[in-house]
Amino acid sequence: MDRGPGAEPRSAVTGRAAGEGPAALAGDRRSRIVGGGEGRSVWVAVASTAVFFTVAGVLVVTSPGWPAIRDAFFDGAVFRDAFPKILARFGRNVAIFGIAEVLVLVLALLIAVMKSLPGPVFAPLRLLAAAYTDLFRGVPTILVVALLGFGMPALGLRGVPRSDVVWAIVALTLVYAAYVAEVYRAGIESIHPSQMAAARSLGLSRGQAMRHVILPQAVRRVIPPLLNDFIGLQKDSALVAFLGYTEALRQAQIVSAADFDFTPFVALALIYVVITIPQARLVDWLIARDQRRRAGGGTT
Amino acid sequence: MSEAIRLEGVRKSFGRLEVLRDITLTIAEHEVVCLIGASGSGKSTLLRCINLLEPIDAGRIVIHGVEVTGRGVDVDVVRRRVGIVFQSFNLFPHMRVLDNLTLGPRKALGVPRERAEEEARALLERFGLADKVEEYPDRLSGGQQQRVAITRALAMNPDVLLLDEITSALDPELIAEVLDVIRELAAGGMTMLIATHEMGFARDVAHRVCFLDEGRILEQGPPGRIFTEPREERTRRFLDRIIAAGRM
Ligand SMILES: Nc1ncnc2c1ncn2[C@@H]1O[C@H](COP(=O)(O)OP(=O)(O)OP(=O)(O)O)[C@@H](O)[C@H]1O
Ligand SMILES: [Mg+2]
């Protein structure tokens, strides 16, 4: 459960380099399918894919363990019962990661800008920002969720929210802002210093140059790795179940326990797959488009 | 003639590398001064120091009677009066040509958008770029980009213009259109300090030529004299190399 949170954003931070693999592959595939100029290669691809999956499917379904697996994970009746309930609760996950994403965008930008402040005067702020990102990238997400989600309401202090979801959202925001801040910072640093010089030479202050010249270009460049991190955040909204809050995963657990069946978990997995895969494709497409543009020759 | 820029004993090092050693130079208003010198002699650094893009280690820089290297000087105010154009254009790629021009006036000078755009359009028209107003920089040729960069600096209505090898990134056939813009500005009385490798242009447009050698101004004078009878051996050798390379 907590392998995901660690593994996901780490790859996303290096998203630019890592992203080149899939994007290059996508381009490759396109040229192999379309580039031939005739439809024959398309048919070969379709046929071989169909044959492969039919054979694989038959092998699985005819294996001796299949009936047990089917009953435990792919029970049609349980699915029909569980799916609407889980889907309804998934609205809570959407609210959790929706709010967290907005907060992450703002907080991460703040941290990234803090980290890029120059000069000795701002050393404390830079240090603070660095400590923050180190800390929250180093601690397992589920631990932060547990600490804040169980801990803060238990304090019973006046003015401190008692709702565990609120603290779960805060926890997810803190963790993912640390990753997204690094993404932003990589974006800021990828803008050539001559852009800052050009802006400053027009009499713009450092802040104005950041706001009007550096950040607009940086943000555009980091959209793909940013979306990668958001996919991770969306998946990690399931960690809130750990606090006993009835979102989709907790709901799946409840139905599963009642029916002695794991099909509800499969139903939830299906929901996640349906919302994350289009986003992953979008990321690939954005990276590929970016590369085409760069190959087309832009100016710095 | 009153003075526009005065440098007194300016020194600048990057780490242990001394790039500018004791530069003293005065430029009068409406004067056009060309800086020539080998690659690495410190031309770009000198221009960047005058624009306060690089802090100097020693000496003074005075612009229109105001010392700009003193403590408590608002560098942004200085930069608004001293325009600089770079070798690599450095246009803002995410903005249309028009917005490239209006950013400085609007944000640094507080000119309202409408007036800034009106003035920017007039400037672009004057330099034959009227049809590029709505384009993004990467749709323009190198020569057009550099002309936009010059008009962007002019949009700030600067007292002084610093030009750093503005034609060296351009194909030969595009150089003339950019140099024509500078000639027009010189004719209009703009004070300019120009780092250049275009000796023909320097001879043509400069009132004075300074030969920079290892961070020192080794020799200066009117172009007619510097190019025909340089006093220093090193100046002569530099010019011979330039002539051999066919750049004069
Ligand atoms: N930011 C910097 N950090 C370290 N060294 C620098 C920096 N900028 C310039 N230098 C060094 O200072 C020296 C002078 O550089 P400068 O760019 O001023 O030369 P230049 O006369 O403009 O040369 P060119 O004709 O090639 O443009 C060079 O040796 C260069 O490597
Ligand atoms: Mg230079």
Side-chain angles (χ1 to χ4, degrees), chain B residues 14 17 19 37-45 54 87 164-165 197:
Chain B
F14 290 110
L17 179 70
V19 178
S39 182
S41 56
K43 303 181 294 294
S44 300
T45 306
E54 299 283 356
Q87 177 176 349
D164 189 4
E165 288 185 37
H197 283 305

Side-chain angles (χ1 to χ4, degrees), chain B residues 158-194:
Chain B
D159 302 332
V160 179
L161 206 51
L162 310 172
L163 307 172
D164 189 4
E165 288 185 37
I166 55 170
T167 57
S168 15
L170 297 178
D171 294 335
E173 72 271 20
L174 299 176
I175 290 177
E177 64 183 67
V178 172
L179 293 186
D180 283 344
V181 170
I182 304 307
R183 284 198 184 89
E184 190 189 327
L185 290 175
M190 174 65 78
T191 311
M192 288 187 281
L193 180 56
I194 307 174

